[in-house]
Amino acid sequence: MAATKKKTANKKTAVKKAAKKKVVAKKTVAVKETSAKSPAKKSAAKKPAPNAKMTTAKVAARKPVSKTRAVKTVVKKKATPAKKSAAKKPAPKAKTTTTKVAARKPVGKAGTAKPVVKKKAGKAAPAETSRAKRTKRVTAIAPAPPKAVIPHVDAVRAVIKKLESPKSVVPVKKEEMPVDESRYRPDAIEKKWQEKWEADKLYRSAVDESRPKHYALTMLPYPSGDLHIGHWYAMTPSDARARFMRMKGFNVLFPMGFDAFGLPAENAAIKDGIHPMKRTYANIERMRLQMRSMGAMFDWEREAATCDPEYYRWTQWFFIKLYKMGLAYRKMAAVDWCPNCNTTLAREQVWGDDRHCERCGTPVIKKDLEQWFFRTTRYADELLNFDGIDWPERVKTLQTNWIGRSEGAEVQFPAIGNQSSAADDKVTVFTTRPDTLWGATFMVFSPEHPLVDKVTTDAQRAEVEAYKAQAARQSDIEREAADKEKTGVFTGGYAINPVNGERIPIWIADYVLMSYGTGAIMAVPAHDERDFAFAKKYGLPIIEVIRPETQNAGEDGKELEEAYDGAGVMVNSGPFNGTEVNEEKGRKNPGIRAVIDWLEQKGIGKESVNYRYRDWLISRQRYWGAPIPMVYCETHGWNPVPEDQLPVELPEDVEWRPTGESPLKLHPTWKNTACPVCGGPATRETDTMDTFMCSSWYHLRYLSPHYDKGPFDEKEYNYWMPVDTYTGGIEHATMHLLYTRFFHKAMRDGGVTEGNEPMLQLRNQGMVLGEDNDKMSKSKGNVIAPDLLVRRYGADTVRAYIMFFARWDLGGPWDSQGIEGTARWIRRVWTLFTDPTPPKAGAAYDGRGLRRRVHQTLRRVTHDFENFEFNTVVSSLMELLNEMHKAREAGAAGSSAWDEAREIYLKMMAPVAPFITEELWARLGKPYSIHQQKWPQVDEAAAREDVIEIPVQVNGKVRDRIVVAADAGEEEVKSAALASDHVQKFLEGREPKKVIVVKGKMVSVVA
Ligand SMILES: [Zn+2]
Ligand SMILES: [Zn+2]
């Protein structure tokens, strides 16, 4: 998601060099391979895992080394799960051109060979020379057979997809099992099972009307090129939850994709000239490999990347839909502009009191530009309604505050300037406190207010102009800063307070912004802190109109020391004197209600609602985004591109010049097109869309990523939607999470989606901090690299530790000592299941006790999975493991309780550590796969404690503890309590007046 898209690493030169060398190395390898036998080795050599890059490069550098040796080295060093899929790569049939590969698209499903691809392949013939140059870089991304010409990035993409296609996986061979069967070897186990799962399509999720569905969605990453621990922290517990739901009997969809448009790739292109498309697809490829090492149950056949033309065709289609619904419009507006990113920003992307760019931290400036907006405000009220969705309170509060609905009234103040004609002008003011209208003693305009010139008198003009000029030089930040001293100047003009006919002076002040309400406020210094400070500074009148009820009449006329905004009664307010005012907002407040009714009756004003929320600015002056599919004709204005001409594709041959205008605008021909109305010459919109538009609907594209008759296949939609569980970061509360709700509701009204909400349940994870308790960042050197951890401990341990070390919703600092503990636990699990050591002689094993512990743990773990409490899932499993080791030492092996315990243990652990549990399950001789097993049922009888101890009070003091059967009834417990000698002693022979039994907790005897 965009907010996590902070600057990507830029190891350009090193990578480029390595890549170049790699090409050589690979060619060598490819030749060798044609005669090689093992498909596994072949794949490894052909497609070195990212971390093998340097090795490969080195091999290439030591050129004279024999071919055979080169192959060996690469194979040995390969560290991530091998891609069997690579075996099917075009290399062996060296003659196959990539163009053909692209045409017979790999994903295999009917209808996946997109016209896009076909078109590309056909178009590819000309312009060989310019493309030949690019071929080198492309080759670095996905090695091509010698001599093959890669005519277009689509072809690269097709090759990449092919490499990833689970279909081309060759089944696991037994001989590849590690030699030493008794040792825990995560590297061997994880690779083996990952390949088998893919070959078997274990995680393929298809519509199945006979089973309940569960759509589990985790936010899609931006393809920065490197999966960091934050991704693991978001994704692996989400995966564990999805696996749990699957074992609970749901047909689970857990897809993954890439939020692939955006600035980092484009900024990098400006620096090093590598095309964002190539970089992005290379990064996607690398991240897919890293994600596979997680062992997550992603259904890769549903993968979608927002930068694919077959994806953004529909992003554009949705834009046009919104346009036709009147929800997309173009207007000239003062928009926020990041001078560093060289683009406009949505209001949501401007952060903090200093109004900085969400992405790069640069303070934003205002620019007047014609831009495209989505009318999100039309849904403001509906977006405030969270009925029927289970979302965290924090997110609901953030969204509510962001929308900032306030109830009040709009009141019209006639204005009088130096010319009498100005009296015709009415200034509209929004106030949440119409009950204080009688205390409005002056009015303040934003310096940019259109009436300023008109009301300013000649005497004041010079001063007003000077003030306006200084205000224009300041940023909104400076103007609004709370600690800044309020300044302003009198315009010489007046307004008439419509409630009492008083002439009140009009001032301008920079703390009033045009973007606030109407750009003009009525100032009530007695009851507003800021107005109070302003009035004090400039000697303006302060009239009290709400008096606290506690205040004596004798204090009347006493000068106020500060503004009062509490409850009281209205005073100095004409017909409303004595009316009660409480602290409620809007009509719930009797004072406000009375005044609104009166204003409406008099025709001076009306009830009104104001929102802080603004329409969504979606134009971006950048290249790497979905082109806005609109065309401008001198005669016919703006019109959408006809649907059959979608997608409007990005041209490849653009120049990267950070000019502040879209590179599309600088392209010599791209923008020239025909008007959809008259066919005459017309110009394309050269801005692209905010990437949040792409991510507003990705959950729909996952349903049928290659479908070409619409944005999604309705059959899939009807089965899978809405999303049942959505997981991701809370930083998206007022951006993505609000946009996607708007999008769904707008499309519901457009007849595309159904229901009111796209995501029923939302859970946010916290953040993993560095060991120094600081946010991880490259500059601080506190970044934890998941790939290294996986190599050292195995993915299962990393997954388990991520779930164990902190409450998932809170997050916390990483602890390298801590992960050792988790690694130990995993190894002890391995030992428990594989150690052949016989039990100690003469040990007494308690089968009932073991079953009780197992089923009690199962009850807890089930509850904790349901509630996203992963840390206690792991700790419960750790505790149970100790019990099981004891039971084993005591001779439990061979008993039915022991068999049951082992089986339940692995099933409970399976969502946390999918690899080791699959391996041990197989070693137990159980049917493949553990991940297709049903979640075990708690045997309540087994879980029940046999006996319990309960305290007995006599007249409020504990006098004894009795031991009763855990399931004993009230009468039984009562008589046991009364039978106690101690209790009898304190009863002193009396009959108890009352005996209260709190089940399982306590008996209270009242003597
Ligand atoms: Zn910026
Ligand atoms: Zn026209």
Side-chain angles (χ1 to χ4, degrees), residues 486-653:
K486 306 293 172 265
T487 61
V489 294
F490 178 41
T491 62
Y494 286 85
I496 305 292
N497 186 338
V499 300
N500 56 11
E502 292 283 339
R503 250 166 60 108
I504 59 174
I506 299 174
W507 285 62
I508 58 171
D510 57 12
Y511 70 84
V512 178
L513 300 175
M514 264 324 279
S515 50
Y516 262 8
T518 60
I521 61 161
M522 67 174 210
V524 182
H527 306 290
D528 178 277
E529 205 185 313
R530 200 157 55 169
D531 297 344
F532 185 85
F534 196 85
K536 279 283 187 197
K537 180 168 177 179
Y538 294 106
L540 294 159
I542 298 172
I543 299 173
E544 181 188 38
V545 288
I546 310 290
R547 181 168 301 162
E549 281 175 275
T550 49
Q551 192 175 304
N552 302 327
E555 289 177 72
D556 195 12
K558 195 187 108 186
E559 203 180 321
L560 284 172
E561 276 159 23
E562 56 180 3
Y564 174 74
D565 62 1
V569 290
M570 292 173 70
V571 295
N572 302 321
S573 298
F576 292 96
N577 287 341
T579 308
E580 188 206 340
V581 171
N582 59 26
E583 300 203 342
E584 294 280 358
K585 299 195 187 331
R587 278 195 171 269
K588 282 185 204 142
N589 188 322
I592 294 177
R593 183 172 60 232
V595 174
I596 287 179
D597 288 343
W598 182 81
L599 289 171
E600 289 183 343
Q601 217 173 49
K602 293 255 173 192
I604 310 167
K606 59 173 201 249
E607 183 167 13
S608 172
V609 176
N610 197 47
Y611 297 90
R612 185 170 170 262
Y613 200 37
R614 290 289 170 266
D615 282 343
W616 176 11
L617 166 62
I618 64 130
S619 300
R620 295 292 177 275
Q621 292 68 43
R622 301 302 300 237
Y623 166 77
W624 192 229
I628 294 174
M630 298 296 290
V631 167
Y632 182 78
C633 161
E634 288 292 347
T635 318
H636 299 100
W638 286 101
N639 279 290
V641 171
E643 220 178 279
D644 60 3
Q645 288 173 28
L646 298 180
V648 175
E649 283 198 54
L650 287 169
E652 277 185 66
D653 49 338

Side-chain angles (χ1 to χ4, degrees), residues 956-968:
K957 280 203 173 115
V958 176
R959 297 303 186 187
D960 199 6
R961 289 174 185 280
I962 54 166
V963 174
V964 293
D967 56 356

Side-chain angles (χ1 to χ4, degrees), residues 213-215 217 253 697-701 703 712-724 740 744 753-754 757-760:
K213 66 94 183 181
H214 180 82
Y215 189 171
L217 180 69
L253 169 59
W697 72 281
Y698 75 105
H699 55 286
L700 298 176
R701 195 60 187 163
L703 300 175
F712 51 79
D713 183 341
E714 243 174 75
K715 202 173 78 245
E716 298 272 339
Y717 183 98
N718 292 340
Y719 181 72
W720 293 111
M721 281 294 286
V723 171
D724 296 281
T740 194
H744 184 91
T753 58
E754 279 177 351
E757 295 284 347
M759 289 119 187
L760 299 183

Side-chain angles (χ1 to χ4, degrees), residues 456-469:
T456 302
T457 58
D458 293 340
Q460 293 298 106
R461 194 162 302 277
E463 205 183 335
V464 166
E465 290 304 323
Y467 188 82
K468 279 172 72 175

